[in-house]
Structures are given as C-alpha cells and as structure tokens.
Amino acid sequence: MNRIPLLKAIDGGSPLGTPRTPRSPRLKRRILNVSIIGFTLLMVACFVYTTVKFYAHDMHVSVEARETARDYRRSATASKDSKIYQACQSDPSVQLPLLKTVHTWKGRQPAHSSISIVTQLSLERLSMLRSQCRVWTDKITAAVYVPYMKGFGVISDEVRALNGSKLQDIVIFVDDFYHKLERDAPCSLDLELVLEKFTDWNDPNIGLYPFNAVRNRALRMVETESVMLLDADFMPSKTLSLSYQKKPSVFKDMIDTLDKKVAFVLPAFETSNRGLDGKNIAKKVALNGKEELLSAWSAGQVEGFQVEQYPAGHGPTQFDRWLNASSPYSVKYEKGFEPYILVHRKYVPWYDERFRGYGRDKIVHLTHIADQLGIKLQVHDYAFVIHSPHEKSSTFKKTKESGQWENLLDLYIKVRRDISLQEFVPITSFADSCPKVVLAHDVALARKKKLKQRRLRRKSRKNRSKKSRSGKNAL
C-alpha cells in the first residue's frame, strides 16, 4: 500500500490519496485562531480545576476555623466559668523567667466576704508592702522576687546591705518582717518568696525585673473570689475595705456587679511632693478616704497619676468627673489605659511572662481584659489608690540601656495585633497546668490532621482491595 496518501489522510488530507479541495489562506488562519483559542481555554480550565482542588481543603479549613473561633468566643462570653480566661500557652523559642519558691507564709483565713490585693515587689520595696498592710483591713497576696547569683548571693543594685547576702539570711529577714506585720497590721498577708537563679554575670536578664512572671506567682495564691490588681507602691483607700466589712450588703452588691463581667476602676492619684512629706500625705489620704483626698486636691497636694508624663495611662478615668461623683460611672477602654482595677477572680487572665523589664507589661494585661475578653469598666465612686513616692527603680535604667525597651515595644505591637484578631493567649512558664483553649489556628491544624488521616485510611483500604482482587485472580 502506498503509505504517503494514508499519512496525508490522517493529517487532514483526503482519504487514501483522493485529491482534496485546496483551502484558502483566510480559512486556514481562521482554523488556526480557533485552535489556539480552544487550546488556551482548555489549559485555563485545567489550571483552575487543579488550583481549586488543591486549595479546597485549606479554604474550607480557614472558613471553618473562623466560624469555630467566633462561636467559641460567643460561648465564652456567655459562660461564667469559661476556660478562656485562665488560658495560657508555652513558647519553646522564648526564654521565660524560671522562678522557684523559697518559702511561703500563710496569713489568717479571711472571712467569706473578702477581697484580696494581688501585688508583687522586690526586697527593696518591703516598706511599701508594710504601708499597704497598714491601710488595708482585708487580704493581701504578695510575691517577693529575689535575684540570686550562684557563688555570690543575692543581687541588689539598690540596697548595698542586701547585695551578696546569703539566701538563708534573706529568709530569716523576711520571716521577721512578715510576723511583725501579722501581729501589728490589720491586713491578713499571704507571702511567697520566689528566687531566680543566675550562673553568669553576662546574662542579659540580670537587672531586668520579671514583673509579669512575679505577678502570676501572686495571682496563683489567691483564695478569694474577687481581687484588686495593684502595684506595691500604691496604697488603697481604707474606706473601701471598711465599707463592705461593716455592711455585708455592700459586699454583695459589689460582687453581683463584678459577676456581670464588670471591673471597677480605682482612680489613681499621686502627691505633688515627691519626698518624705509626699509619703506622709499619701498615707493620710489613704487612711481617711475621699473627703481627705478632696481636701488635699483643693490644696494642690495631690493630682491624677502621671497626667502630664503619660496622660493615656489614667486620663480615661476622668478625674474631674470623679471628684463630684456619688455613684459609679462607665468609661470606655482606650489605647494605653492601664488603671488599677477591682475584678472577679474568674475573669482575670494570666499575665504574659515575655514582658520583662520596665514598660508595657500591665498595659497588655488591661488591653487583653477589656478588648478581647470584653470586661466592662466602671469607675468606683469613692474608692481610689494613691502612689507612695520613691526613687526610680534600677530596672528602668537597665531596660533603657540594654535595648530591652525597643524589644518590649515590638512585642507590644505584636500582642496588640493578636488581641485585635481575638487570638491572643498569654505565654507563661506553667502552660501545662492551664486549660486548653481552642482558637482558629488550632481548629485549622486539627482539621488538616484529620483530613490527612482520612486520606491515609482511604489509601490503605484501596491497597487491601487491590491485594484481595489480585489474590482471587491468581486462584
């Protein structure tokens, strides 16, 4: 057979060499254009199909993750005992402070109607804890931080007498301090002495006070259902604890309000005099309540805390309004607002322990409480706190000089972004004891793992089916 006519027929010629009608150049170009367009559309369709098939599962996971996270947050808001408030997580890539308990002192058992001040301090600030204990007639839970260098002793840049002390001497010193307070002061004090051990003087963390890690240690000791989150250099107004201790109905109304996811803001004040006279004025105001504060305000002796240096910190409290307030009033949380609050313990999240050194540690906690967990803020009408003047701490200087200030700013920006996405979970050194909270990315990972396991099971079944068929064929 003549193969040339056959090849022409396969390639579009007339069958078996039959002469064909020649095509015009115009028709050829049209056929070519249609072929190119058809081929292009076919390739686009294949690409779209492949892409959609490839990403279908991930898209489904993403949507499901967002919906699950949203539903979870709604259920957390509705539930009084939701685990979301006590959640924390670990991060192996971050070096967190490793604090060890040296000794714990337990005070008198408080009555059921009690509120605990939760605070933290270094050895150099024990006198401030004494001042708190003398004006507060209820429970105080405090953690005292001790940095310790192996082969040297206690590290103290502020008090030479403490620098290089042996640990057992510090325990004896704190024990004496504690029992004097329990005997002479009206407060009931629970105290924990915690140690951070260093082995190298070149360790960059020496001198950077781990504020949030120590706060968590104090928070873990709380036994009362309500807490006042306060720094050791502030004194609360004595009239607050006296008011609910004398009238149980006052305490009941307060707890009922806190139970509705409301936190009381305690307006923060400071004295215009930063010396000894300022300390005496602060003690007098704290002991005698709002009337004494109003008198000191009129005399120019007290003012809102850091209203000039950092107005965002306490400006939203609205000090002028509070001076004439006869009932609590609501305020909105604003960026940078870091008030001292009275809040139900079950609504207090853990502090993020990555914040070490001076700055932004407390702001992050308050932002988490208000912006993500949805706690409403009300300014208490007669309770307040006042700052006891003191010299700037050494950790402030170390934070600035070491570059940690910039690191904390970067971390703060990242955490605020996570909070805005409702995805922030504090990082702590005790994550194993925190309840597991399911967030969107956890749902996505779980979904991908489940899909992978399903594909493996399907593949395994196919392999077993093939083997079974091949065995039957062999028979």
Side-chain angles (χ1 to χ4, degrees):
M1 178 184 288
N2 189 353
R3 298 182 59 189
I4 296 177
L6 180 60
L7 290 175
K8 287 185 178 181
I10 295 174
D11 197 30
S14 301
L16 300 178
T18 307
R20 65 175 184 177
T21 305
R23 295 173 180 171
S24 66
R26 190 178 207 178
L27 180 62
K28 288 183 179 180
R29 285 197 301 272
R30 185 175 297 175
I31 293 173
L32 179 62
N33 291 338
V34 170
S35 301
I36 293 174
I37 292 173
F39 180 77
T40 304
L41 290 176
L42 179 64
M43 291 297 100
V44 170
C46 292
F47 176 77
V48 171
Y49 174 78
T50 305
T51 304
V52 170
K53 185 177 180 180
F54 184 78
Y55 288 105
H57 291 314
D58 288 341
M59 292 169 65
H60 177 70
V61 168
S62 177
V63 172
E64 180 177 308
R66 289 196 297 271
E67 291 177 348
T68 304
R70 184 183 64 245
D71 294 340
Y72 183 81
R73 289 194 295 272
R74 286 174 178 171
S75 65
T77 302
S79 172
K80 293 181 179 179
D81 300 316
S82 173
K83 294 179 181 180
I84 195 169
Y85 302 101
Q86 301 304 312
C88 64
Q89 62 178 332
S90 61
D91 186 350
S93 66
V94 178
Q95 182 183 356
L96 298 177
L98 297 178
L99 306 182
K100 296 183 178 180
T101 301
V102 177
H103 194 81
T104 302
W105 293 264
K106 299 292 289 185
R108 302 180 299 273
Q109 286 298 319
H112 176 69
S113 55
S114 290
I115 295 173
S116 295
I117 288 179
V118 181
T119 192
Q120 48 72 37
L121 63 152
S122 62
L123 285 171
E124 297 87 351
R125 300 286 187 265
L126 283 175
S127 61
M128 298 178 183
L129 181 60
R130 182 191 296 115
S131 297
Q132 275 190 353
C133 212
R134 286 177 175 171
V135 301
W136 187 248
T137 59
D138 206 345
K139 198 74 179 176
I140 296 180
T141 303
V144 180
Y145 170 72
V146 179
Y148 186 88
M149 176 60 70
K150 183 179 180 181
F152 174 78
V154 173
I155 305 171
S156 177
D157 295 331
E158 299 181 22
V159 180
R160 287 187 178 182
L162 294 174
N163 200 36
S165 299
K166 295 180 179 179
L167 188 58
Q168 54 265 39
D169 294 336
I170 296 299
V171 174
I172 294 172
F173 170 69
V174 175
D175 183 76
D176 183 60
F177 167 85
Y178 172 82
H179 285 99
K180 284 182 179 179
L181 274 185
E182 278 286 292
R183 183 181 67 244
D184 302 333
C187 78
S188 172
L189 180 63
D190 286 351
L191 190 67
E192 183 179 33
L193 191 66
V194 295
L195 177 81
E196 183 175 22
K197 192 173 183 179
F198 297 96
T199 58
D200 186 356
W201 285 107
N202 294 319
D203 192 319
N205 289 318
I206 294 177
L208 295 176
Y209 188 95
F211 287 98
N212 281 355
V214 187
R215 285 186 176 112
N216 279 338
R217 296 303 290 253
L219 197 57
R220 294 176 75 175
M221 291 194 293
V222 169
E223 297 177 352
T224 59
E225 60 181 334
S226 298
V227 294
M228 181 191 299
L229 306 179
L230 193 62
D231 287 336
D233 52 351
F234 279 82
M235 291 180 287
S237 54
K238 188 176 182 177
T239 50
L240 174 60
S241 56
L242 290 177
S243 67
Y244 64 76
Q245 287 173 337
K246 290 180 178 180
K247 294 182 179 180
S249 59
V250 173
F251 181 81
K252 182 181 182 303
D253 291 343
M254 191 181 302
I255 294 300
D256 288 345
T257 301
L258 298 180
D259 200 35
K260 297 174 182 176
K261 293 186 66 179
V262 172
F264 281 117
V265 172
L266 305 176
F269 296 88
E270 65 181 346
T271 58
S272 53
N273 185 298
R274 301 294 191 264
L276 181 60
D277 289 343
K279 288 185 178 182
N280 293 332
I281 292 171
K283 289 179 183 178
K284 184 179 179 182
V285 168
L287 285 168
N288 296 297
K290 186 172 182 177
E291 288 187 7
E292 186 69 35
L293 187 141
L294 292 175
S295 177
W297 178 281
S298 299
Q301 294 176 328
V302 300
E303 58 191 13
F305 185 67
Q306 292 189 346
V307 289
E308 294 183 359
Q309 301 95 317
Y310 184 56
H314 296 273
T317 301
Q318 304 174 24
F319 291 104
D320 291 336
R321 180 179 179 181
W322 182 83
L323 296 174
N324 300 309
S326 57
S327 61
Y329 57 91
S330 298
V331 294
K332 291 185 178 180
Y333 184 79
E334 299 177 17
K335 183 179 179 181
F337 192 23
E338 51 176 353
Y340 296 102
I341 61 173
L342 178 62
V343 62
H344 205 296
R345 173 62 186 92
K346 66 185 177 183
Y347 295 138
V348 181
W350 298 110
Y351 291 86
D352 193 308
E353 297 183 1
R354 292 175 295 176
F355 287 85
R356 177 172 195 144
Y358 188 91
R360 301 179 180 88
D361 42 45
K362 192 155 61 67
I363 294 178
V364 163
H365 192 247
L366 267 299
T367 306
H368 185 200
I369 287 175
D371 279 357
Q372 182 167 328
L373 301 182
I375 306 299
K376 306 300 181 184
L377 302 179
Q378 282 189 13
V379 181
H380 202 283
D381 55 326
Y382 62 85
F384 62 90
V385 297
I386 186 164
H387 183 253
S388 181
H390 61 84
E391 295 294 328
K392 208 76 169 177
S393 64
S394 59
T395 194
F396 176 80
K397 182 179 179 181
K398 178 65 182 291
T399 303
K400 287 284 190 177
E401 293 178 348
S402 65
Q404 181 69 353
W405 182 267
E406 289 74 21
N407 296 336
L408 292 175
L409 176 59
D410 292 341
L411 180 58
Y412 170 68
I413 294 172
K414 179 181 181 299
V415 169
R416 277 197 60 88
R417 183 173 63 250
D418 292 342
I419 291 174
S420 68
L421 297 172
Q422 302 287 292
E423 292 288 348
F424 174 64
V425 177
I427 291 177
T428 72
S429 56
F430 50 89
D432 292 342
S433 61
C434 289
K436 176 65 175 176
V437 172
V438 181
L439 296 174
H441 62 273
D442 298 317
V443 175
L445 290 175
R447 176 69 177 170
K448 287 181 179 179
K449 184 177 180 180
K450 189 175 180 180
L451 290 173
K452 184 178 180 180
Q453 291 174 347
R454 189 180 298 170
R455 285 194 296 268
L456 290 174
R457 288 196 298 269
R458 190 181 297 122
K459 185 177 181 181
S460 177
R461 285 196 299 269
K462 287 183 178 180
N463 290 336
R464 288 198 301 268
S465 179
K466 287 181 180 179
K467 288 182 181 179
S468 177
R469 287 197 298 270
S470 63
K472 288 181 181 179
N473 294 334
L475 291 174

